[in-house]
Amino acid sequence: MGTLEEEGIRVQRSRFVFLAAPMPEPYQGQAADGIVWMLVSPNNRPLGRGPVYHEAYAQCREAVLDLQANVDRVVPLEGTVPASGQWTWRIELDDALVALSSRSYLRARECSYNLERFLEALPQAEVVLGVRSVRRDRRRVAEPLPPAGGVPGGPPYRPSHSPYQGQPRRELRHRDGGAVDRRRHRP
């Protein structure tokens, strides 16, 4: 028997995806989208990301291909964020920053483990074609509220944006099959 891929079964691999997202700093005074890469595991968990936003997809893709071509020369570094004390990692190539952890970690061993997963996936990761558009702020633009007493001659104002507003907490638990309300208790 051969491997799953030899038998014609496609196995999901780690892959580089390209994301068009608003750049953190305004580009020439205007908010603009930039392209950044992210390496994700077969189960879509972010493993690491690019350190800079590129103006064009071709530039971002070239940065990924250069990183893969020079994987034997990368220098992984781990450290803590001074403000929080949490651990992060970064990768340098010829003293230039080329990759960052996609999040921070509470423990040094978690940081090391995730850095190893990134380095294992890096050389053989698939480079996906195309760009996905993402937005950081998904909130709707708020409409101005009517006066405190509502519309003159109308009923008092009651916001209606939340379907659960005013319902007791036990109803929320009942809808989740008895689970703890996720808005208050995070894993």
Side-chain angles (χ1 to χ4, degrees):
M1 278 189 84
T3 64
L4 292 175
E5 287 184 356
E6 289 172 354
E7 295 179 12
I9 300 172
R10 182 173 161 89
V11 177
Q12 188 77 6
R13 300 186 321 185
S14 294
R15 64 204 177 284
F16 285 96
V17 294
F18 300 91
L19 308 171
M23 287 194 246
E25 299 292 324
Y27 176 70
Q28 296 180 352
Q30 296 181 355
D33 282 356
I35 311 295
V36 67
W37 61 262
M38 182 177 291
L39 179 59
V40 295
S41 69
N43 66 354
N44 294 323
R45 186 175 61 88
L47 297 174
R49 65 179 181 86
V52 297
Y53 285 77
H54 299 271
E55 291 180 33
Y57 165 72
Q59 294 170 335
C60 192
R61 189 172 191 277
E62 187 61 36
V64 166
L65 295 175
D66 185 51
L67 177 58
Q68 281 187 312
N70 294 295
V71 70
D72 56 331
R73 297 182 27 235
V74 299
V75 177
L77 302 165
E78 298 177 23
T80 58
V81 177
S84 67
Q86 293 191 342
W87 288 83
T88 62
W89 58 260
R90 67 182 190 272
I91 295 180
E92 294 182 355
L93 177 64
D94 299 331
D95 295 323
L97 182 62
V98 293
L100 296 171
S101 58
S102 55
R103 56 174 286 237
S104 59
Y105 305 94
L106 293 174
R107 296 172 184 84
R109 70 175 182 254
E110 293 171 335
C111 183
S112 296
Y113 175 83
N114 284 283
L115 173 58
E116 289 172 18
R117 300 298 74 78
F118 179 88
L119 292 171
E120 286 174 358
L122 178 61
Q124 71 270 2
E126 177 183 352
V127 179
V128 176
L129 296 176
V131 177
R132 298 177 185 177
S133 180
V134 294
R135 297 279 173 233
R136 287 198 179 111
D137 188 7
R138 295 184 180 190
R139 291 176 285 162
R140 290 185 229 167
V141 176
E143 296 179 19
L145 297 175
V151 178
Y157 173 72
R158 287 193 181 99
S160 62
H161 59 278
S162 173
Y164 301 114
Q165 188 166 6
Q167 294 181 355
R169 287 209 140 344
R170 65 182 173 276
E171 287 184 31
L172 289 174
R173 288 190 184 107
H174 176 70
R175 286 190 180 142
D176 285 340
V180 175
D181 183 6
R182 290 182 189 92
R183 291 178 294 172
R184 293 178 70 181
H185 303 284
R186 299 209 186 265

